[in-house]
Structure formats: C-alpha cells, structure tokens
Amino acid sequence: MSHVDPLLKRLADRVESEALTLPITLVVCGTTVTGEVVPHTVWAEHIAEQLGDSASRASAFSADFTWATEVPEQNRNYLHLNGGKVVSGGAAFPEHGGLFRIGLDEVSGWFLGEIKVHG
C-alpha cells in the first residue's frame, strides 16, 4: 500500500491554494528528480503552450491541457514540476528541464532545494 508523506502533501496543497512555487528534489521510484513545484494550472498552461506551438500532430492535444487549466484538480494527488530534471551520474536531463507530473504516493524521499549540475 502506498504512503504519502503528510508534510509533502501539505506543501503541495499550499503551492496549489496560494499559487506559490517551491524548489525541490525528490526520490521517485529510486530516481532523483529536481525542479520547481508549481500549481497544476501553471504546469498545464505551459504544456498547452508547447503543444499549441508544435508543428506536429501533437498540437491536437493542446486543448486537453487548456481544459486542465480551467478545471481545478479535486484530489491534488500530484506534484507538478517546471524545469524538472532527472539527475544521474553527475548529469541532469533534459538539459533545460521539462514539465513533470509525479504522484505524491511515488515519492519516497525529498528535500527542499534543487540540485545544480555543472557540466
């Protein structure tokens, strides 16, 4: 059975309710992920913009993320990272960070602050 750290849940709820951001590093299924926690609507808006600007068929999904900015999540069981990076062996990827959605119940450890990898 999965377990959600109550303090991490409280921090995630504050990010959502107060439209805050929070630099964080997480251990997710044994993988280190670092980035900035942002509200769900900010995350969805960024993805909608990226998809809308795409020349590929993926642009058709932009409307789904635009919808997600208008409909608040009810359960708030996810962290949404902007500039998220997977950190491994002294390197981080994607190089410029990405948009991550991570289930709170998948986080086994965390600390406040981002890991900075210098190449």
Side-chain angles (χ1 to χ4, degrees), residues 40-115:
H40 170 256
T41 55
V42 170
W43 172 84
E45 190 174 271
H46 286 314
I47 291 182
E49 288 171 6
Q50 284 183 357
L51 290 170
D53 292 342
S54 173
S56 73
R57 292 181 7 186
S59 64
F61 293 100
S62 176
D64 296 307
F65 289 93
T66 300
W67 170 82
T69 66
E70 300 164 358
V71 179
E73 287 198 313
Q74 297 302 311
N75 296 327
R76 296 184 180 171
N77 293 320
Y78 296 91
L79 289 172
H80 298 89
L81 269 58
N82 186 30
K85 295 179 181 180
V86 174
V87 180
S88 178
F93 53 92
E95 183 178 346
H96 299 290
L99 298 161
F100 286 66
R101 179 175 164 106
I102 299 169
L104 284 167
D105 61 345
E106 296 295 328
V107 176
S108 60
W110 59 276
F111 67 84
L112 295 178
E114 292 182 54
I115 295 175

